[in-house]
């Protein structure tokens, strides 16, 4: 479950903005409605739902966009642009759209996320230099990256410096065949990493702790679902790995079609092998 998300220097945000699901320490009278779990002997209380509200241009959409952008960066493992068209959140694939357009000098964009899953608490920080708004030629780089699991920092990465702190916290997730020392692992990881790539989903995943990173990526893939546009075409891509010869039927679309007399057949979405986007099709029954 998501516990806390923070972002700084993202679009309209210059100061750090926090979206937290943690209940206030002195909150009383609503315990029945809270999500509760025990972590390292301490109880964590979190909100099961939350509402973002405010006037126009207050940044409501931007906080959701920032979550989706971090998710996209982690899943592709770098801060290069993604080759995607017609995405509901363009900033997630074209990172030059992230910096505040009023900045005169580049400022690092910072992300922080804190979540708990299967009683394992993960905290991840990322600071990236993307240059100024709309600068597509800027040499992007990761300035800082940190992973903390159950209160133990497993790595801290800055430009030209990488520190690994592996121990009991990562034992169950470590590479089974790795008998290298920490310093040797660090050198191996550093040499395999470009300045615009994430340590988490590259060297740390491939060389140090593949099981742990898979656990983290699985959470971002299937549990941290950020919906920037809730139409069926994008929901299919977001919630499923579209299967071949499978049609996804949308009840609302079918009811609307009947009301307006558009089609007497059922309607559904199908993802073709060579299609970048799902297509809306009419389903005809093949009766004997």
């Amino acid at each position: 479950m998501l516990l806390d998300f923070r972002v700084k220097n993202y679009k309209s945000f210059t100061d750090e903005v926090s979206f937290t699901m943690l209940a206030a320490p002195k909150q009383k009278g609503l315990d029945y409605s809270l999500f509760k779990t025990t972590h390292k002997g301490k109880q964590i209380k979190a909100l099961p739902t939350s509402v973002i509200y405010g006037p126009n241009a207050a940044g409501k959409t931007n906080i959701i966009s920032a979550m989706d952008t971090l998710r996209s960066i982690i899943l592709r493992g770098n801060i290069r642009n993604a080759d995607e068209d017609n995405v509901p959140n363009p900033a997630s694939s074209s990172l030059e759209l992230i910096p505040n357009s009023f900045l005169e000098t580049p400022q690092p964009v910072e992300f922080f996320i804190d979540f708990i899953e299967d009683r394992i608490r993960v905290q991840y920080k990322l600071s990236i230099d993307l240059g100024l708004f709309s600068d597509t030629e800027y040499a992007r780089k990761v300035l800082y990256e940190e992973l903390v699991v159950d209160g133990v920092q497993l790595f801290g990465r800055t430009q030209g410096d990488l520190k690994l702190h592996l121990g009991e916290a990562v034992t169950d997730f470590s590479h089974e065949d790795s008998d290298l020392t920490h310093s040797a692992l660090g050198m191996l990881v550093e040499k395999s990493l470009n300045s615009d790539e994430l340590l988490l989903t590259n060297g740390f995943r491939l060389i140090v702790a593949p099981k742990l990173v898979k656990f983290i990526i699985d959470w971002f893939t299937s549990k941290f679902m950020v919906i920037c546009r809730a139409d069926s075409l994008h929901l299919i891509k977001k919630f499923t790995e579209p299967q071949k010869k499978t049609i996804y039927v949308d009840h609302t679309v079918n009811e609307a079609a009947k009301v307006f007399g558009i089609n007497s057949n059922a309607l559904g979405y199908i993802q073709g092998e060579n299609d970048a986007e799902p297509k809306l099709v009419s389903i005809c029954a093949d009766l004997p």
Side-chain angles (χ1 to χ4, degrees):
M1 179 175 182
L2 175 67
L3 298 178
D4 192 15
F5 176 82
R6 304 173 201 165
V7 66
K8 183 178 180 180
N9 290 326
Y10 180 93
K11 290 194 172 183
S12 62
F13 304 134
T14 51
D15 298 326
E16 182 179 80
V17 175
S18 174
F19 176 83
T20 182
M21 298 294 287
L22 291 169
K26 296 183 180 180
Q27 177 274 326
K28 295 181 180 180
L30 296 175
D31 282 1
Y32 66 90
S33 66
L34 298 177
F35 165 82
K36 302 174 186 177
T37 187
T38 302
H39 180 258
K40 299 180 77 68
K42 295 183 179 180
Q43 189 179 63
I44 295 176
K45 297 180 180 180
L47 306 174
T49 59
S50 183
V51 176
I52 301 175
Y53 65 93
N56 291 341
K60 300 185 297 297
T61 301
N62 284 349
I63 193 71
I64 302 299
S65 167
M67 292 179 184
D68 185 52
T69 297
L70 176 62
R71 179 181 185 271
S72 299
I73 289 173
I74 288 176
L75 293 183
R76 68 174 176 264
N78 61 66
I79 54 174
R80 299 187 288 271
N81 283 359
D83 186 18
E84 295 183 48
D85 298 322
N86 192 30
V87 292
N89 175 26
S92 67
S93 58
S94 300
L95 302 191
E96 67 273 9
L97 301 179
I98 289 176
N100 188 299
S101 60
F102 294 101
L103 292 176
E104 296 182 358
T105 58
Q107 298 293 327
V109 179
E110 301 176 6
F111 297 96
F112 170 81
I113 192 164
D114 180 3
F115 69 89
I116 188 166
E117 180 72 12
D118 293 336
R119 297 194 176 183
I120 298 173
R121 189 166 183 174
V122 177
Q123 295 169 314
Y124 178 73
K125 293 181 181 179
L126 179 65
S127 176
I128 54 179
D129 182 7
L130 303 175
L132 295 174
F133 178 79
S134 195
D135 187 352
T136 58
E137 303 300 322
Y138 192 82
R140 299 172 183 172
K141 52 185 174 290
V142 175
L143 300 177
Y144 182 73
E145 191 179 0
E146 179 187 53
L147 176 66
V148 175
V149 175
D150 288 341
V152 178
Q153 185 195 58
L154 300 188
F155 69 72
R157 170 201 182 189
T158 57
Q159 283 288 301
D161 185 34
L162 171 62
K163 294 180 180 179
L164 295 175
H165 306 280
L166 307 182
E168 293 183 3
V170 77
T171 299
D172 294 337
F173 295 101
S174 297
H175 203 299
E176 297 172 352
D177 300 325
S178 177
D179 56 0
L180 298 174
T181 64
H182 288 187
S183 59
L185 277 172
M187 291 178 61
L188 187 59
V189 169
E190 274 192 291
K191 290 183 178 180
S192 66
L193 200 63
N194 293 324
S195 60
D196 61 355
E197 293 178 329
L198 302 189
L199 169 61
L200 175 67
T201 41
N202 288 284
F204 195 75
R205 176 187 188 182
L206 300 175
I207 301 172
V208 183
K211 292 181 182 178
L212 173 60
V213 180
K214 182 181 184 301
F215 169 80
I216 294 172
I217 290 178
D218 285 348
W219 184 84
F220 275 98
T221 302
S222 59
K223 299 295 180 66
F224 190 52
M225 306 304 300
V226 186
I227 307 303
C228 294
R229 197 171 93 198
D231 60 79
S232 298
L233 290 172
H234 287 92
L235 286 177
I236 289 174
K237 296 177 69 177
K238 183 71 73 172
F239 282 109
T240 67
E241 291 293 335
Q243 302 297 314
K244 296 179 180 178
K245 299 181 180 179
T246 300
I247 296 177
Y248 299 90
V249 177
D250 186 296
H251 176 73
T252 302
V253 171
N254 275 276
E255 289 300 314
K258 291 179 181 178
V259 170
F260 290 101
I262 297 174
N263 198 326
S264 60
N265 299 320
L267 299 175
Y269 295 90
I270 188 169
Q271 179 81 45
E273 293 185 15
N274 300 316
D275 297 326
E277 298 286 336
K279 292 182 177 180
L280 182 65
V281 298
S282 175
I283 306 170
C284 300
D286 184 11
L287 299 176

